Amino acid sequence: MPPRSRAPDPGRTGGARETLPFRDPDLPVAARVDDLLGRLTLDEKIGLLHQYQAPIPRLDIGRFKTGTEALHGLAWTTDVHADGAVRTAKATVFPQSVGLGATWDPALMKQVGAVVGDEARGYNSENPDVWGLQLWAPVVNLLRDPRWGRNEEGYSEDPLLTGLLATAYGRGMRGDDPEHLKTAPVLKHYLANNNEYKRTETSSSLSPRNKKEYYEVPFKMPISNEAVTGIMTAYNKVNGRPATVTPDAAGLVRSWTDETLFNVTDAGGPNNLIGSQNYFSDLPAADAATIKAGVDSFTVDDTKSSITIGAVKEALDRKLLTEADIDEAVGHILNIRMRLGEFDPDGGPYAGITMKTVNSPEHRALARKAAVEQMVLLKNEKKALPVASGGKVAVVGPLSDTLYTDWYSGALPYEVTPLDGVRARAGAENVTTSEGVDRIALKDVRTGEYVAGGTGADGAVLKTGPTTPDATTQFDVFDWGQGIVTLRSVANGKTVGRHNWGSNLSNSQAQPNGWFVQEMFELEQQSDGNHLLRYAGYENPADAYVRVLDDGTLALAAKADATPFAKDVVSSGTESAVAAAKQADTAVVVVGSMPFINGREDHDRTTMDLAEGQLELIKAVRKANPNTVVVVENSYPTTLTWAEANVPAILWTSHAGAETGNALADVLFGDENPSGKLPQTWYRSAEQLPSILDYDVIDSDRTYLYFEGDPLYEFGYGLSYTTFEYGEPKLSRRSMSADGTIEVTVPVTNTGKRAGEEVVQLYTHQRKSRVKQPVKELRDFAKVALEPGGTERVKLEIKASDLAFWDVTRNKWTVERAHHDVLIGSSSGDIRERAKINVRGERIPARDLSEPTRAADFDDHDGIVLVDETKTDGDAVGGAANGWIEFAGVDLGRSTGEITARVAGTEAATIDVRLDGPDGPRIGTLAVPSTGGIYTYREITADLRRTGGRHDVYLVFDGETRLSDITLK
């Protein structure tokens, strides 16, 4: 145990810095932490549990702030000196995470992470109070559903690909010094956090196989490889228990590494425990449970740490916590601060990094390289790409001359738009352009006066007045789908939104932004042809329509008071784009999403379609110029069915940062050969998807692992300007034991006329199994660069341990005796070569229910959810009428005559015991009483009709009850 708190050390400041043991870098970190922990008073230790850790002047210890955002570049932080106001970095912005996922390039990811770590250090060198070195990145939540609003934040739907990329990114951020951390990366968000709809209230129901084989994997890999330094708990519940108090934080997660981890809550998570989740009666109980669960720091109440401090002190007074619990959490915090070099006399090996590194030429070059590598060529019919040099090019579309950042992005230090990039490459004289958006004027039909905006850089409150549609009264209408538009004022190029949170509107924003996006509108056409202007901002005020007041200013009002406007189309975006396209040899249409509008944190998507107006623009340009290339710049799979059927070439990119335009031109003109591969399945329609709230990827056939339908583009898909031929693979052996490894060598040849990179992908499929196995699963991949005619013998690996699945009959990883197909190809759907291997694993014995068996360890289910057995630990089955669970292949011996079950609930119910199907023969019924509470368990028994042999046993519920475990005797 570390030393307990001592009395304050008077006078130990200033010159004492190098004499105290905790400041001696030659001592082991653990000894230094113990020394410092022992010098702190209890109050001082409690002051370290909040996001804004208090300084300790008597020991010359400064303030420490957790959580600088660094998802795809140094992004933003909050300022303790300004009540937590957001401070945005102007640093290197890399492609969005889903774009980085499309690179399939861990080596590149480590380089990107290293740049992010350096730039974080640079900002920290100027203001350590604000720019803390605990970085909240990467996000490793798997992209199981493309409608998730935060799809842009993750890497892939595949756990292996996500885990490898996250490990590389984390390793780059933390640095390679064996003793010190450049920065302290934290993984987000543990666990199974993939819906924004009621995200603090919904529960992700995870069976053991789903949890172990899918959701845990991308967290475990970076932690076990010592690439990151902690987790952030998620907002949602997992099996009924808020993730803020997941026992995994203290147990399972820390078991994955010998390093000390420093875990944090998500912002506001602790308050949800007594708010939307109503899980604890008061904050002291909630905070005590959070600490005991293994979470060390509270991200809550902005800068007001006193609330957490008071709650923790009350928890100590009520004996909900002990000082040892506080010491445990603070010890974790101090360990990371120590390894960051904070207490070294010289600040450690990374202390010399300064602001000079931020946005350096080398970092710009890497951003361009990353932006190129993440682009995915989806279609290239008749070699429409690359664009021939010397020809005329039209660059049109709503994203052709702008770059958008997202919620977790830093500010762009400079901008190269698609138009900029093409002009620089082709010459301005060879480029025609149009954003393809309508320019309109809105006229108050009652007065005949037009709405006008301010001409200055800061805009002005919108007001009617002019009677002719001059430049001050004109607005460009950007269509983001489902009726939502943004209005950019021609007067100053700024976007219209609410003015300073008031009811007025102004043209003052560079782009839609902020937590509550206040720049969204809908033009509702009325039966008389006029329009009402509906405010569609994220905060949903009661008065959501626009009214012209007596003084001419525009203000929000009730629909009944809304002013009717005539919409005058000053110029047609489609006509303008078509005119530009007709003058060109090639038309490039740049369409896509606005990251603050088309789904983001707190907002899921309800459609994956392109905005209706954008699709119509593509159709018109394609009709005008058959040689049309569509560039889709967005953050999620899109249902491009019309474009796939009708457009010669399609290229996808994420919102890829300041270098987007240069990278796009590099690929369009063939200076770079596209090599990106899709990191998730692109479906033909949302009808191919189950509910976004269904987290059972196995049972619901989610992701490429289990999906058996026909996708638009499969996982791992991406074309090149060259072609690759795969030769017959050579396996080091055809059979291996449960702890063996097989090396697969496959010759890959560039059979085209230009250099290119290919991602060689190896999948396996287990032919027979006790359980449902994936259709195929990625086991290894390699990105190889080949000159024309060049061949490389690509070495890939299959470990028997990677073929293991979670055996719920014995609660362990199991390598089953089985034959496996080895599938090697250019994507999950483009398999070029096959082989077969034999794995000498074990045969899983018949299931034995004669000992207590967790109900949650079922083999199959329907109509039930998994719930929390207690508030601290364990899972149970939450049954409902007509729901059932199955235990497959149970050995009932010569006869089974009794069932015992632990149940809880507030209502009486029954559970039928049936054989070989939910409608099979009933051999007994458990009469479940009300136990008085959902956590009050009672053991009940029932006689069974004596039955022997091997059967599938079904428990069929009639009514709501909780089932913890069962025993058949």
Side-chain angles (χ1 to χ4, degrees):
M1 294 293 292
R4 296 301 179 206
S5 54
R6 303 173 182 169
D9 296 326
R12 287 190 179 272
T13 60
R17 283 179 66 98
E18 298 184 26
T19 61
L20 297 178
F22 76 86
R23 295 194 181 277
D24 184 353
D26 293 329
L27 291 177
V29 170
R32 298 173 69 188
V33 170
D34 285 352
D35 176 73
L36 177 53
L37 189 61
R39 295 178 186 278
L40 301 179
T41 67
L42 179 57
D43 282 351
E44 287 169 340
K45 287 185 284 192
I46 295 172
L48 300 179
L49 295 176
H50 190 263
Q51 178 182 19
Y52 295 94
Q53 297 179 23
I56 305 172
R58 67 182 184 84
L59 293 174
D60 202 14
I61 292 174
R63 191 184 309 278
F64 185 91
K65 189 193 83 68
T66 70
T68 295
E69 300 293 353
L71 187 60
H72 53 108
L74 185 67
W76 53 267
T77 186
T78 51
D79 191 345
V80 67
H81 304 299
D83 295 324
V86 170
R87 297 288 179 254
T88 302
K90 185 171 282 190
T92 306
V93 178
F94 290 96
Q96 292 176 305
S97 295
V98 69
L100 293 172
T103 68
W104 288 59
D105 192 342
L108 173 68
M109 288 296 294
K110 185 177 180 184
Q111 292 178 289
V112 171
V115 166
V116 176
D118 286 347
E119 297 197 352
R121 276 280 178 175
Y123 268 85
N124 176 263
S125 71
E126 288 207 341
N127 193 337
D129 276 1
V130 173
W131 294 97
L133 293 175
Q134 188 196 57
L135 305 185
W136 287 351
V139 169
V140 293
N141 298 107
L142 294 166
L143 305 184
R144 66 180 179 95
D145 194 311
R147 295 167 299 188
W148 183 36
R150 303 181 76 168
N151 195 85
E152 67 200 35
E153 296 183 37
Y155 295 127
S156 173
E157 69 185 33
D158 180 71
L160 174 66
L161 179 57
T162 297
L164 289 172
L165 296 177
T167 298
Y169 189 62
R171 176 56 65 183
M173 285 193 289
R174 68 172 279 168
D176 292 324
D177 188 279
E179 302 295 332
H180 289 83
L181 300 167
K182 183 193 298 184
T183 65
V186 171
L187 296 175
K188 301 196 296 187
H189 311 82
Y190 193 89
L191 184 70
N193 176 208
N194 279 122
N195 63 275
E196 301 305 294
Y197 172 75
K198 294 187 175 181
R199 60 182 179 166
T200 68
E201 301 171 46
T202 56
S203 177
S204 306
S205 185
L206 302 186
S207 69
R209 280 195 65 205
N210 277 282
K211 186 172 185 284
K212 293 291 182 184
E213 297 174 24
Y214 191 69
Y215 292 102
E216 285 179 6
V217 174
F219 288 89
K220 183 177 180 180
M221 288 179 66
I223 291 172
S224 61
N225 284 286
E226 298 183 347
V228 297
T229 60
I231 61 166
M232 173 187 283
T233 55
Y235 282 128
N236 55 291
K237 302 174 188 176
V238 176
N239 294 351
R241 182 181 299 107
T244 302
V245 289
T246 175
D248 288 358
L252 179 68
V253 171
R254 294 189 192 275
S255 76
W256 293 335
T257 180
D258 292 330
E259 287 196 327
T260 296
L261 300 178
F262 172 7
N263 299 329
V264 304
T265 74
D266 205 339
N271 284 350
N272 293 334
L273 294 170
I274 60 170
S276 60
Q277 294 168 335
N278 194 27
Y279 204 68
F280 294 101
S281 59
D282 55 35
L283 194 58
D287 285 3
T290 302
I291 291 172
K292 282 186 168 292
V295 183
D296 307 309
S297 178
F298 293 79
T299 314
V300 69
D301 299 318
D302 297 321
T303 60
K304 295 180 281 293
S305 59
S306 60
I307 298 173
T308 294
I309 290 169
V312 171
K313 286 182 176 181
E314 184 175 337
L316 285 164
D317 291 341
R318 289 163 52 182
K319 303 194 183 307
L320 302 174
L321 287 172
T322 67
E323 188 171 351
D325 296 322
I326 306 299
D327 287 349
E328 181 81 9
V330 173
H332 299 153
I333 293 167
L334 295 179
N335 179 282
I336 299 302
R337 291 180 65 172
M338 200 75 67
R339 289 156 61 197
L340 284 167
E342 178 183 349
F343 305 121
D344 288 11
D346 62 357
Y350 299 109
I353 300 174
T354 69
M355 284 292 289
K356 290 182 180 180
T357 191
V358 176
N359 191 35
S360 68
E362 295 80 10
H363 294 182
R364 291 186 180 202
L366 185 64
R368 184 168 180 168
K369 175 179 170 62
V372 166
E373 277 203 43
Q374 55 91 54
M375 292 187 181
V376 183
L377 183 60
L378 298 176
K379 184 180 180 182
N380 195 19
E381 188 178 74
K382 298 179 181 179
K383 299 183 179 179
L385 289 176
V387 175
S389 295
K392 300 287 186 181
V393 182
V395 182
V396 302
L399 279 81
S400 62
D401 196 26
T402 189
L403 296 181
Y404 289 121
T405 55
D406 59 48
W407 177 248
Y408 285 104
S409 171
L412 298 174
Y414 59 97
E415 296 184 28
V416 183
T417 70
L419 178 60
D420 294 333
V422 173
R423 276 178 172 163
R425 175 62 175 77
E429 69 280 4
N430 293 319
V431 179
T432 56
T433 186
S434 165
E435 289 180 295
V437 298
D438 287 347
R439 180 163 291 182
I440 68 169
L442 296 174
K443 180 172 62 177
D444 183 342
V445 299
R446 303 168 308 170
T447 65
E449 295 179 344
Y450 286 92
V451 176
T455 57
D458 295 330
V461 171
L462 299 191
K463 188 175 183 178
T464 59
T467 56
T468 58
D470 60 23
T472 66
T473 71
Q474 297 174 17
F475 301 89
D476 293 328
V477 183
F478 289 80
D479 177 10
W480 302 114
Q482 299 179 288
I484 300 300
V485 301
T486 52
L487 303 173
R488 188 182 64 195
S489 174
V490 176
N492 65 349
K494 295 295 181 68
T495 301
V496 173
R498 282 182 68 181
H499 182 69
N500 295 332
W501 282 92
S503 64
N504 296 130
L505 307 179
S506 64
N507 57 329
S508 57
Q509 297 302 310
Q511 69 168 53
N513 64 88
W515 182 257
F516 294 106
V517 180
Q518 301 185 7
E519 294 80 25
M520 298 159 62
F521 295 90
E522 184 172 4
L523 285 161
E524 294 185 352
Q525 187 167 6
Q526 306 301 297
S527 58
D528 60 3
N530 292 319
H531 292 75
L532 300 184
L533 185 60
R534 184 179 74 87
Y535 173 74
Y538 277 169
E539 74 278 24
N540 296 322
D543 295 329
Y545 284 79
V546 175
R547 178 187 181 189
V548 178
L549 302 180
D550 291 342
D551 65 356
T553 58
L554 271 59
L556 298 184
K559 184 174 184 178
D561 298 321
T563 297
F565 293 100
K567 186 182 78 170
D568 294 350
V569 178
V570 178
S571 61
S572 164
T574 299
E575 290 178 2
S576 174
V578 165
K582 285 181 176 179
Q583 300 175 53
D585 300 302
T586 302
V588 178
V589 189
V590 190
V591 295
S593 71
M594 201 289 134
F596 280 83
I597 293 175
N598 295 111
R600 47 153 281 191
E601 184 170 357
D602 212 31
H603 295 274
D604 291 316
R605 273 175 290 280
T606 57
T607 178
M608 296 179 292
D609 296 340
L610 278 175
E612 297 84 354
Q614 293 186 20
L615 179 56
E616 292 306 310
L617 177 68
I618 293 172
K619 290 179 178 180
V621 172
R622 170 66 179 85
K623 184 177 180 180
N625 188 331
N627 196 26
T628 292
V629 176
V630 171
V631 176
V632 180
E633 185 179 343
N634 69 5
S635 320
Y636 49 89
T638 308
T639 49
L640 300 175
T641 48
W642 188 92
E644 169 60 28
N646 293 280
V647 174
I650 307 172
L651 184 69
W652 176 82
T653 175
S654 73
H655 294 278
E659 288 288 344
T660 298
N662 283 331
L664 181 59
D666 288 342
V667 172
L668 289 175
F669 288 91
D671 300 323
E672 297 284 352
N673 193 346
S675 63
K677 299 284 187 176
L678 294 179
Q680 60 188 134
T681 304
W682 283 43
Y683 298 94
R684 292 187 177 276
S685 77
E687 293 178 0
Q688 292 181 309
L689 292 167
S691 166
I692 196 173
L693 301 179
D694 187 343
Y695 278 77
D696 191 332
V697 297
I698 301 171
D699 193 61
S700 63
D701 296 333
R702 272 191 182 277
T703 77
Y704 85 96
L705 292 166
Y706 296 96
F707 182 64
E708 298 194 54
D710 178 28
L712 183 64
Y713 305 116
E714 70 271 14
F715 171 78
Y717 173 83
L719 303 176
S720 171
Y721 293 153
T722 190
T723 54
F724 299 97
E725 182 178 280
Y726 287 61
E728 183 178 353
K730 180 180 179 181
L731 279 62
S732 59
R733 59 180 61 84
R734 297 281 176 169
S735 180
M736 64 175 163
S737 62
D739 59 355
T741 299
I742 290 177
E743 188 177 86
V744 181
T745 305
V746 57
V748 179
T749 302
N750 182 344
T751 54
K753 297 180 180 180
R754 58 168 302 154
E757 289 183 295
E758 170 72 329
V759 179
V760 183
Q761 303 164 41
L762 185 151
Y763 300 83
T764 65
H765 168 68
Q766 185 170 330
R767 292 187 173 184
K768 291 185 179 180
S769 176
R770 181 188 179 278
V771 301
K772 180 179 179 179
Q773 289 283 355
V775 175
K776 58 177 68 76
E777 184 166 1
L778 183 69
R779 301 301 184 184
D780 200 3
F781 63 90
K783 192 164 191 174
V784 295
L786 292 169
E787 293 297 320
T791 298
E792 180 165 336
R793 298 181 66 79
V794 179
K795 295 185 184 298
L796 303 167
E797 196 174 70
I798 306 171
K799 293 181 179 179
S801 58
D802 291 338
L803 305 179
F805 64 88
W806 186 256
D807 177 17
V808 294
T809 72
R810 297 171 295 172
N811 285 297
K812 69 170 190 174
W813 290 102
T814 298
V815 178
E816 207 172 15
R817 183 182 302 178
H819 292 292
H820 294 253
D821 295 315
V822 179
L823 313 169
I824 303 166
S826 186
S827 76
S828 63
D830 183 9
I831 301 302
R832 307 287 184 86
E833 296 291 333
R834 297 171 181 266
K836 185 177 73 173
I837 61 174
N838 178 50
V839 179
R840 302 188 303 277
E842 63 176 313
R843 292 196 186 280
I844 298 174
R847 188 149 200 174
D848 180 7
L849 300 183
S850 65
E851 295 294 331
T853 299
R854 292 194 322 156
D857 287 330
F858 52 73
D859 286 290
D860 199 2
H861 67 99
D862 185 60
I864 63 94
V865 294
L866 285 158
V867 295
D868 50 337
E869 183 176 14
T870 72
K871 288 193 174 185
T872 57
D873 204 2
D875 298 327
V877 168
N882 300 316
W884 54 261
I885 57 175
E886 176 206 11
F887 298 91
V890 179
D891 183 0
L892 297 178
R894 292 186 177 181
S895 67
T896 297
E898 184 180 82
I899 181 172
T900 301
R902 288 182 68 245
V903 297
T906 58
E907 299 178 4
T910 61
I911 304 174
D912 285 342
V913 184
R914 295 181 179 270
L915 299 181
D916 304 322
D919 298 320
R922 183 174 59 204
I923 62 171
T925 299
L926 285 160
V928 181
S930 168
T931 66
I934 59 174
Y935 302 118
T936 304
Y937 284 87
R938 177 176 167 183
E939 191 171 279
I940 61 173
T941 61
D943 291 334
L944 301 177
R945 188 176 75 233
R946 292 191 174 275
T947 305
R950 188 162 177 166
H951 292 273
D952 298 334
V953 175
Y954 286 77
L955 302 182
V956 183
F957 296 83
D958 181 13
E960 294 188 6
T961 191
R962 292 188 172 207
L963 178 62
S964 170
D965 56 63
I966 62 167
T967 309
L968 271 59
K969 297 181 181 178

